[in-house]
Amino acid sequence: MNSKLTNRLATGMFWLVGLGILAILAWFLWHILSAGLPHISWKFLTKKPEEMLSGGGIGPQLFNSFYILALSLLFSIPFGVGAGIWLSEYAKKNRFTDLVRLATEMLASVPSIVFGLFGLLVFVTTLHMGYSIIGGALTLSLLNLPVLVRVTEETLRAVPDSYREASLALGATKWQTIRKVLLPTALPGLVTGITLVAGRALGESAILIFTAGVSVSRFAPDFNVMASGETLAVHLWYVRSEGLVPDATQIAEGTAALLVLVVLILNLVIALPSRFLQRKMAGKSS
Amino acid sequence: MTMTAVQEKIRVQNLNLFYGDNQALYDIDLSMQAGSITAFIGPSGCGKSTLLRTLNRMNDLIPSVKITGEVLVDNQNIYADDTDVVSLRKRVGMVFQRPNPFPMSIYDNIAYGPRIHGIKRKRDLDEIVEKSLRQAALWEEVKDRLNKSAMGLSGGQQQRLCIARLLAVDPDVLLMDEPTSALDPISTLKVEELTQELKDKYSIIIVTHNMQQAARISDTTAFFLNGVMVEHGETDKLFTNPGDQRTEDYITGRFG
Amino acid sequence: MDIAIKETHDDRCASAPPSWNNRRRRADRMMHWLFIGSAAFVSLIIFSIILFVGSQGLKTFADVSVLQFFSLDWTPSENKFGAGVFILGSFIVTGLALVLAVPFAVLGAVFMSKIAPNWMREIMRPATDLFVGIPSVVYGLVGLTTFVPIVGKLTGTAGFGVLPAALILAIMILPTILSVSEDAIRTLPGSLEEASYALGATRWQTIRKVLIPAATPGILTGVILGMGRAIGEAMAVQMVIGNAPLLPKGLGDPTSVLTTQIVKEMLNAPFGSTLSNSLFLMSLVLLLVSLSLILIIRIVARRRAV
């Protein structure tokens, strides 16, 4: 067969696949938003959910989502960033380093439902936390850790060695170099990475079903970390598969649209300033 | 500190350096005086930069490097076990081949050193920043934009900024690793002039691949070849009447 | 001015308190230990997960024999805890999802790295990133409201089952495989391509005979990562698969996989019961499968390095 003709056919096929993939993604987004956005109202966002009647809101779930997210970041950022700094700045080539890398990689591959059962076993049952905001946040922070480690290590490695040399040659200690030169320079990358982690944690459900529970506190907002803390993603699953309210579909669609909106916003709004920050650091804006 | 005319600042004794299994420096013996400029010359890969980096232990950053022998700064062996590398580097500062300002403002670049050494008062910092920039002959050019990013300066200005940043921590010795190799001729001239002004107060060691530069600015010159120090002597004598055939071949351009 | 400089030469940094050097050196040492501590702590987690989940799961064997656990009969009310159906189901659904997703992902990766114009790339890259970030329950909901009714109409059943689960998983893992493969193709040395063009090959011949074979280890890594994601996915699958502990006979039949069975039963299983323990054991199986995928990726990567 004529190789030129084949080539032209193949190019057509590639375009078709590329456009097809984009079309699937676009359809997906449109489908979620068009079905869900009409259900989103101020009342929906702030009202408490109903058990049996229609017209319930998702106020407590919205609060719990961000509360648990914030706590989980609070727990995981120090350890994740610390381990990332160690890997990038201190680790020598030896057995222990290999072990840390392998362990982090393994942790990154753990299915979230296994984290969920681990949290159920350790935090909820053994440590008597029950289905609680704190149990959920602690377990969720385990999911965050490996990504934080990797992002920190990668962004620090991207900082040119000349900065390290310059700082050490001035008599700075290693920690001073890390705190005053390396971390500020790596900040845009770190912010992007933490955004990524936050987006994933916000949409997580399998972990939280077994640790934060599928019900909400009678009070809203309830800052008590021992209160049970159903989140948006869990609520979406719960109303759709076990819920008794007649408007379960609408609530699920509204919640789905809200989750996607939040992910969109995280991707756009926080990624843009970090790009801006990067430009500013490079001195091009001056 | 009293400045006697001949005061030994740095002595290198019997120094050998290995990168893993490869030896890069062989039995170096070298003495450098306070208040003078010493130039290291030689073809690339001869070990001159490597030697320079042993003088403030920057080679510590490379894990595979092994060193035997001694380097004495003010009669103290800096490779002794109880050496505080951090305060050594404050006394023996370094300017690198490529200008490497931090991605911060000009002011913060200069204030970085004093700050990490514990100076916090704004008044003190202001004073040090101005003094250091004046010493590096950069003050007039940047005084109106101290809060702008240092990355916006030209290459020559960046290198003088790095020198000012170094002067701000008040070292005794300035190590300069081919400081003008990335600069245009006019900037090069400015940096060379600067070294002349600084040499009264600081001991300067400069690595250069440019023999004219070594001849112009240094008091003594050491010639290196394949990790061996072939010859070290007064610059005038070394360039006009070298004691070794290899030195003569190099400075007359037969290789290099 | 000369004199002024000389005066300051010795005390420019003298206004620092003398204890400063000790303080920052202590801080330096302390932070070093904190970083090592963080690294050690992060490493410990995976082993404690294996230990805790494993020891809880292995308690199953007090009541159930190994053979029974891997059998196909799951009837907890009659004390039959055979998880074979779910293990098989996991592999069937994951395999089907890979069959659906891999061709698209690889072709898409070639398109993105070699054929698409820049503006198209600028759209595709953030779009794929975005889709990695969409919560799995949202995928589940879309599967539930679109694929289930369609499959139902086509097969004349309720529509819950293997096919919608595989479809939704395929969409979920497509961006993962695509972006890893795209990376592998984009980072190939340009000389490969040039050599092929210099011999008069067309773009299609170059892609098929040179680029894809050279990028195979990277593509394989992407496929394995996608497989890991598919086999560990719980919520999206649980919403569309029908959750019946039976082996499927056709694509439209409901079944259940490891993850979905855990989601379905765990909330109602009393802690310490054989049912609960067997669910822990199933999650141990899941964990071990995921970890062995990591080992495979490492082996593939090592081969590539040689």
Side-chain angles (χ1 to χ4, degrees):
Chain A
M1 195 166 154
N2 186 337
S3 69
K4 263 194 194 140
L5 184 67
T6 323
N7 188 43
R8 209 166 298 156
L9 283 175
T11 304
M13 174 191 71
F14 278 119
W15 270 93
L16 216 64
V17 170
L19 291 173
I21 290 172
L22 268 186
I24 293 175
L25 300 184
W27 164 79
F28 205 91
L29 217 56
W30 177 82
H31 182 84
I32 298 163
L33 293 178
S34 69
L37 284 182
H39 303 307
I40 297 181
S41 62
W42 183 247
K43 214 179 98 193
F44 178 68
L45 292 179
T46 50
K47 232 186 130 206
K48 285 191 199 175
E50 295 285 347
E51 289 292 334
M52 309 292 275
L53 304 169
S54 61
I58 52 163
Q61 284 86 358
L62 189 60
F63 169 79
N64 287 341
S65 284
F66 283 95
Y67 192 33
I68 289 180
L69 170 68
L71 286 177
S72 82
L73 288 177
L74 193 73
F75 298 139
S76 54
I77 286 178
F79 292 106
V81 172
I85 290 174
W86 185 79
L87 277 175
S88 143
E89 303 301 318
Y90 293 87
K92 303 205 167 61
K93 246 185 127 49
N94 58 27
R95 282 258 179 85
F96 180 62
T97 308
D98 288 345
L99 180 77
V100 173
R101 276 185 210 289
L102 180 66
T104 314
E105 224 174 293
M106 284 161 75
L107 193 62
S109 78
V110 172
S112 51
I113 191 155
V114 178
F115 279 121
L117 291 203
F118 177 74
L120 173 68
L121 182 57
V122 173
F123 300 123
V124 175
T125 311
T126 311
L127 298 176
H128 301 293
M129 289 177 188
Y131 292 129
S132 61
I133 286 170
I134 184 77
L138 282 171
T139 319
L140 195 56
S141 62
L142 303 182
L143 178 82
N144 301 345
L145 274 175
V147 188
L148 286 170
V149 174
R150 207 189 53 226
V151 167
T152 307
E153 189 189 350
E154 275 173 11
T155 51
L156 282 179
R157 272 185 196 283
V159 176
D161 268 342
S162 66
Y163 292 174
R164 292 181 182 85
E165 288 191 329
S167 173
L168 293 175
L170 290 168
T173 62
K174 208 159 187 169
W175 166 232
Q176 285 178 317
T177 304
I178 292 167
R179 187 166 60 109
K180 301 209 163 162
V181 179
L182 304 185
L183 285 179
T185 310
L187 195 64
L190 282 179
V191 169
T192 309
I194 291 172
T195 312
L196 201 93
V197 169
R200 204 164 76 126
L202 210 60
E204 181 52 50
S205 45
I207 288 180
L208 294 171
I209 289 172
F210 302 116
T211 53
V214 292
S215 60
V216 293
S217 165
R218 280 180 298 130
F219 311 104
D222 194 340
F223 282 95
N224 181 1
V225 293
M226 298 309 284
S228 67
E230 188 192 39
T231 64
L232 286 177
V234 174
H235 188 60
L236 161 52
W237 169 78
Y238 190 73
V239 290
R240 205 58 190 79
S241 53
E242 322 244 319
L244 299 170
V245 289
D247 56 350
T249 307
Q250 284 87 328
I251 290 175
E253 284 171 347
T255 310
L258 185 63
L259 279 171
V260 169
L261 267 186
V262 172
V263 171
L264 265 174
I265 290 169
L266 281 180
N267 266 283
L268 292 178
V269 176
I270 307 186
L272 284 182
S274 80
R275 218 172 271 177
F276 169 74
L277 222 72
Q278 222 157 13
R279 221 168 289 157
K280 204 172 163 193
M281 299 273 275
K284 279 175 199 141
S285 63
S286 68
Chain B
M1 188 191 295
T2 49
M3 293 272 189
T4 48
V6 279
Q7 185 195 356
E8 191 179 58
K9 190 69 194 174
I10 297 180
R11 172 189 281 281
V12 179
Q13 272 176 336
N14 212 0
L15 186 86
N16 288 280
L17 183 142
F18 305 82
Y19 289 113
D21 293 330
N22 299 325
Q23 187 160 7
L25 292 174
Y26 296 86
D27 297 323
I28 307 285
D29 282 294
L30 183 64
S31 166
M32 282 159 279
Q33 309 301 327
S36 72
I37 300 185
T38 306
F40 289 178
I41 61 168
S44 35
C46 68
K48 54 192 193 301
S49 287
T50 306
L51 177 62
L52 191 77
R53 292 169 70 94
T54 60
L55 303 182
N56 67 343
R57 293 189 56 173
M58 285 307 273
N59 282 328
D60 289 14
L61 303 183
I62 306 165
S64 64
V65 166
K66 263 210 313 274
I67 289 169
T68 65
E70 290 188 340
V71 175
L72 304 160
V73 176
D74 292 328
N75 285 320
Q76 298 270 325
N77 180 13
I78 62 169
Y79 284 95
D81 288 339
D82 60 344
T83 304
D84 175 10
V85 181
V86 166
S87 36
L88 167 75
R89 291 191 184 132
K90 182 183 169 303
R91 283 192 296 144
V92 184
M94 188 164 215
V95 178
F96 296 85
Q97 219 176 79
R98 295 193 170 279
N100 54 359
F102 298 126
M104 316 169 179
S105 71
I106 293 169
Y107 184 97
D108 287 336
N109 261 281
I110 309 291
Y112 179 81
R115 278 183 180 138
I116 59 173
H117 292 295
I119 293 175
K120 292 188 183 118
R121 273 219 315 247
K122 177 94 170 79
R123 254 191 43 219
D124 296 341
L125 288 171
D126 287 350
E127 202 177 310
I128 292 172
V129 168
E130 178 171 348
K131 203 161 278 173
S132 309
L133 283 169
R134 278 190 193 282
Q135 255 185 302
L138 194 61
W139 174 252
E140 294 301 327
E141 290 163 59
V142 300
K143 65 179 177 190
D144 298 324
R145 46 170 175 160
L146 290 176
N147 291 319
K148 292 269 163 61
S149 168
M151 311 307 262
L153 297 173
S154 73
Q157 288 173 323
Q158 287 190 4
Q159 193 61 303
R160 277 180 286 146
L161 179 87
C162 292
I163 294 174
R165 183 175 66 186
L166 180 55
L167 297 177
V169 302
D170 190 29
D172 300 340
V173 181
L174 308 185
L175 307 177
M176 300 185 155
D177 188 0
E178 303 195 19
T180 60
S181 65
L183 304 186
D184 60 88
I186 295 174
S187 305
T188 300
L189 197 66
K190 281 194 174 160
V191 171
E192 286 184 10
E193 282 169 11
L194 191 54
T195 58
Q196 296 304 310
E197 279 162 35
L198 296 171
K199 79 173 200 185
D200 291 343
K201 297 122 204 159
Y202 306 93
S203 311
I204 299 177
I205 301 166
I206 183 166
V207 164
T208 177
H209 60 266
N210 177 339
M211 276 178 285
Q212 285 76 31
Q213 184 170 64
R216 273 197 301 270
I217 65 174
S218 70
D219 300 307
T220 69
T221 299
F223 171 61
F224 293 86
L225 190 61
N226 298 330
V228 173
M229 192 181 80
V230 176
E231 184 169 359
H232 177 211
E234 284 184 17
T235 300
D236 292 344
K237 186 169 164 291
L238 188 127
F239 276 99
T240 52
N241 187 15
D244 193 288
Q245 184 60 41
R246 289 169 292 176
T247 315
E248 185 168 346
D249 288 349
Y250 181 68
I251 60 179
T252 53
R254 256 177 236 157
F255 70 94
Chain C
M1 182 188 147
D2 220 327
I3 293 164
I5 289 170
K6 210 153 210 168
E7 267 174 9
T8 57
H9 176 53
D10 285 307
D11 54 8
R12 204 177 299 182
C13 280
S15 60
S19 61
W20 174 261
N21 237 350
N22 290 330
R23 238 168 54 207
R24 70 193 184 112
R25 220 162 301 161
R26 246 198 324 269
D28 192 47
R29 259 198 310 271
M30 198 182 78
M31 292 314 293
H32 187 179
W33 283 110
L34 281 180
F35 294 144
I36 293 188
S38 307
F41 173 74
V42 172
S43 316
L44 264 179
I45 295 171
I46 181 67
F47 299 106
S48 54
I49 290 177
I50 297 172
L51 192 76
F52 277 91
V53 172
S55 65
Q56 190 68 32
L58 291 177
K59 286 181 188 164
T60 311
F61 293 131
D63 311 307
V64 180
S65 75
V66 177
L67 222 65
Q68 276 176 314
F69 178 74
F70 287 101
S71 78
L72 300 179
D73 189 358
W74 178 265
T75 322
S77 54
E78 295 169 20
N79 271 327
K80 287 179 178 150
F81 298 97
V85 170
F86 314 127
I87 296 172
L88 280 176
S90 278
F91 282 101
I92 292 171
V93 173
T94 301
L96 202 56
L98 284 176
V99 168
L100 292 169
V102 170
F104 277 97
V106 174
L107 292 178
V110 174
F111 176 72
M112 210 161 135
S113 54
K114 293 293 165 196
I115 295 172
N118 263 330
W119 60 266
M120 184 102 185
R121 217 168 292 166
E122 292 289 310
I123 301 175
M124 282 186 86
R125 203 161 288 150
T128 47
D129 285 350
L130 179 68
F131 275 81
V132 176
I134 287 184
S136 50
V137 279
V138 175
Y139 281 102
L141 184 69
V142 173
L144 189 61
T145 54
T146 56
F147 294 154
V148 169
I150 293 172
V151 172
K153 229 172 248 163
L154 288 179
T155 59
T157 58
F160 292 92
V162 177
L163 189 58
L167 275 171
I168 207 71
L169 278 178
I171 294 181
M172 288 180 81
I173 64 178
L174 182 76
T176 309
I177 305 176
L178 189 138
S179 67
V180 176
S181 306
E182 196 256 345
D183 215 46
I185 297 170
R186 190 165 33 79
T187 52
L188 288 176
S191 54
L192 274 180
E193 219 174 323
E194 279 169 17
S196 171
Y197 285 134
L199 294 172
T202 62
R203 180 159 71 182
W204 166 240
Q205 287 166 329
T206 306
I207 289 167
R208 198 166 52 106
K209 300 253 169 74
V210 179
L211 296 181
I212 291 184
T216 299
I219 294 172
L220 211 56
T221 303
V223 172
I224 298 169
L225 281 175
M227 186 176 169
R229 193 161 179 220
I231 214 162
E233 177 52 46
M235 311 313 292
V237 180
Q238 198 267 349
M239 291 168 87
V240 299
I241 201 166
N243 300 305
L246 303 164
L247 270 185
K249 295 195 177 62
L251 291 179
D253 285 355
T255 182
S256 196
V257 299
L258 286 168
T259 53
T260 60
Q261 198 60 25
I262 297 170
V263 172
K264 184 185 166 201
E265 308 237 24
M266 200 52 164
L267 282 177
N268 304 316
F271 183 77
S273 64
T274 313
L275 174 60
S276 166
N277 289 345
S278 66
L279 294 173
F280 272 100
L281 188 57
M282 280 158 58
S283 78
L284 179 68
V285 172
L286 198 59
L287 183 59
L288 294 180
V289 171
S290 305
L291 294 182
S292 51
L293 291 179
I294 282 294
L295 285 182
I296 295 175
I297 288 179
R298 286 205 150 207
I299 292 166
V300 170
R302 201 165 303 159
R303 273 243 197 99
R304 181 162 37 159
V306 168

